[in-house]
Amino acid sequence: MLDELEGAMATAALKFLRDGLVFAVLGGAVGALTAMLSVAVDAAAEAFTAYPQLGWLLPVAGLATYGFYRATGVDFAWSTASVAKAARNGEEVPLRLVPAVVVGTVLTVLCGGSVGKEAAALQMAAGASGSFRRQLSAEGRLWAAPAAMGAALGAMLGVPAAGVVFSFEVLRRRPSDGGAVVAPTIAAAAAWIVTEACGVRFLPQVAEALSGEWACLAAMAHSGFESGDLGFLGAAMALVVPVLFVGAVSGAVGAGFCRAVSMLRCGLARLGAPVFALAVGGVAVSLLLGYAEVLGYGGVRVYCGPGADLAAVAVEGGVLPWWSFALKGALTLLTFAGGFKGGEIMPVLAVGACLGNAIGVLAVGACGIVFSGQGLAAVVAGAPSAAIALFSAVGVASFFSSCTKCPLTACVLSLGLFGPEVAVLAAPAAFLSSLCAPRVGLYPTALSSDSDG
């Protein structure tokens, strides 16, 4: 009896070690693919910046992407949402999706489409995971695609813990045992090590910069509380209430954005084949960019592509035009609804940063004019750059949470990108935004529980 028990334990240990090694190799492969995708997309974005006339070719890029999918035998309907559904059901994602989504994303960004690379990395990682399933145990095969997706997101954003949480939250699946947690953790760590070695970073040094900005803001609030100018309620209002307002606005705008994407996609789907939707969406974006260039608004092209530069300016306390979030959202909406390939996560983060930035600028101006430097204004208007940076960072987390319905991921992402001082304020805003429209989001799997299938 004891020998049988020892034998079973040894077998389980060997299986665990073998699966752990496979997940480490899977994470390394995902990290390498993610770095490659990042370099390719960044090069495409630089090419579009140098030659904005490429914007006129966006419809051609869409048709070329469709042709490439057909030539490689990949269903053009594959998206981040369908990949998440396949991962949740334990289905294998085709390996051929890897080159297809890379080519599609690069072509879209090259011609000015408002897409990112993070969600494209999720699709690519899920496709690559199929090659490793045969080397895993029966339980490990169920974790392969979710672990690869989490590793890709964590590596691309530089926050592996956020990828691990996302791999459960977006699928609405509770960890069945310790192995279900260890698998994505190993894969995410391995992928992060590879991408760090390759220099793939999102918003570098932001956590350090924002910690300083937040410290300035917090010091003013604490000083006002100590002197009796604000009192306890005033000190709380100075930092918490405005942040919750950002969460509520992000929730409402995010729900509207997701509904608009769904409605426009359904409308364009009635045209029949995907090529018609690609043509309509591509022409709409091309005309918008083209006429903006002709009318002297060439700066509009800054809102094309992933939008990381916009987010960086916002969370560093810079001032963007108040309508930035609307323009970035509109370009993203047209690109997504047209069926162009690419990621939705980075544009969502950029829209959130722009929205928070607009609210921050409004708050600074209102406090300076209406409150004349007393109470709340002593904190907000007295440190405008810090306030704008904080509002922008909270906008990133809360708008992401609103669109994905993954508030825990938003909190961990905020912690990794902006530091604990900002994360503690972003957390309530992220949860509030996800509650504003709980049945509306970009990923259907995040809207239902295990019982739903």
Side-chain angles (χ1 to χ4, degrees):
M1 185 70 176
L2 182 61
D3 291 341
E4 292 180 0
L5 180 61
E6 290 179 349
M9 291 178 63
T11 301
L14 287 175
K15 183 179 71 172
F16 182 81
L17 290 175
R18 184 187 64 187
D19 282 357
L21 179 60
V22 173
F23 278 111
V25 176
L26 171 60
V30 168
L33 290 171
T34 299
M36 177 200 68
L37 174 66
S38 181
V39 170
V41 172
D42 288 345
E46 291 176 3
F48 175 73
T49 301
Y51 304 100
Q53 299 85 358
L54 288 170
W56 292 106
L57 298 178
L58 185 58
V60 178
L63 297 177
T65 299
Y66 180 76
F68 189 85
Y69 269 68
R70 291 292 299 270
T72 54
V74 180
D75 188 351
F76 195 73
W78 277 110
S79 64
T80 306
S82 58
V83 164
K85 184 177 181 180
R88 178 176 175 174
N89 296 334
E91 301 169 359
E92 187 171 337
V93 180
L95 180 62
R96 290 171 296 184
L97 182 61
V98 175
V101 74
V102 171
V103 170
T105 302
V106 169
L107 286 176
T108 303
V109 174
L110 179 65
C111 296
S114 180
V115 298
K117 48 193 175 184
E118 288 75 16
L122 296 180
Q123 299 180 43
M124 182 179 64
S129 69
S131 302
F132 294 82
R133 288 170 62 96
R134 288 182 292 275
Q135 284 74 43
L136 292 166
S137 63
E139 296 86 352
R141 290 170 192 161
L142 297 176
W143 309 330
M149 293 173 66
L153 181 65
M156 188 68 78
L157 297 177
V159 188
V164 174
V165 176
F166 181 80
S167 67
F168 293 106
E169 196 170 23
V170 75
L171 303 182
R172 283 297 185 268
R173 296 180 67 177
R174 298 185 183 91
S176 57
D177 52 39
V181 178
V182 172
T185 301
I186 293 174
W192 177 74
I193 290 172
V194 172
T195 51
E196 281 289 299
C198 296
V200 176
R201 294 293 300 274
F202 168 72
L203 303 183
Q205 307 302 319
V206 168
E208 292 83 354
L210 264 178
S211 292
E213 295 282 14
W214 189 92
C216 173
L217 200 64
M220 295 193 69
H222 183 70
S223 175
F225 171 63
E226 292 254 325
S227 66
D229 291 339
L230 292 177
F232 177 80
L233 182 59
M237 287 180 57
L239 295 178
V240 178
V241 174
V243 161
L244 291 177
F245 178 74
V246 175
V249 173
S250 296
V253 175
F257 174 78
C258 293
R259 284 196 179 96
V261 170
S262 178
M263 292 173 61
L264 195 53
R265 276 178 175 169
C266 290
L268 292 177
R270 295 177 181 175
L271 296 176
V275 291
F276 297 116
L278 289 166
V280 173
V283 168
V285 174
S286 295
L287 289 176
L288 177 59
L289 297 177
Y291 278 112
E293 192 81 25
V294 170
L295 297 175
Y297 296 97
V300 168
R301 62 175 175 266
V302 175
Y303 297 88
C304 298
D309 292 341
L310 288 172
V313 171
V315 299
E316 288 171 0
V319 177
L320 296 172
W322 69 266
W323 39 260
S324 295
F325 76 94
L327 179 56
K328 180 62 178 173
L331 289 171
T332 304
L333 171 64
L334 291 173
T335 307
F336 284 170
F340 288 87
K341 298 304 176 181
E344 59 271 4
I345 292 178
M346 185 61 246
V348 162
L349 298 177
V351 172
C354 293
L355 178 60
N357 189 269
I359 297 174
V361 172
L362 178 64
V364 169
C367 288
I369 295 173
V370 177
F371 296 103
S372 304
Q374 297 181 0
L376 179 62
V379 178
V380 178
S385 178
I388 293 171
L390 176 63
F391 277 63
S392 300
V394 172
V396 168
S398 55
F399 195 75
F400 172 84
S401 176
S402 174
C403 292
T404 63
K405 296 301 177 285
C406 297
L408 288 176
T409 304
C411 295
V412 178
L413 182 62
S414 181
L415 176 64
L417 290 178
F418 308 129
E421 298 90 348
V422 175
V424 73
L425 291 173
F431 278 95
L432 177 62
S433 67
S434 68
L435 295 174
C436 289
R439 306 302 299 176
V440 178
L442 294 176
Y443 305 132
T445 54
L447 305 178
S448 55
S449 62
D450 291 338
S451 62
D452 298 322

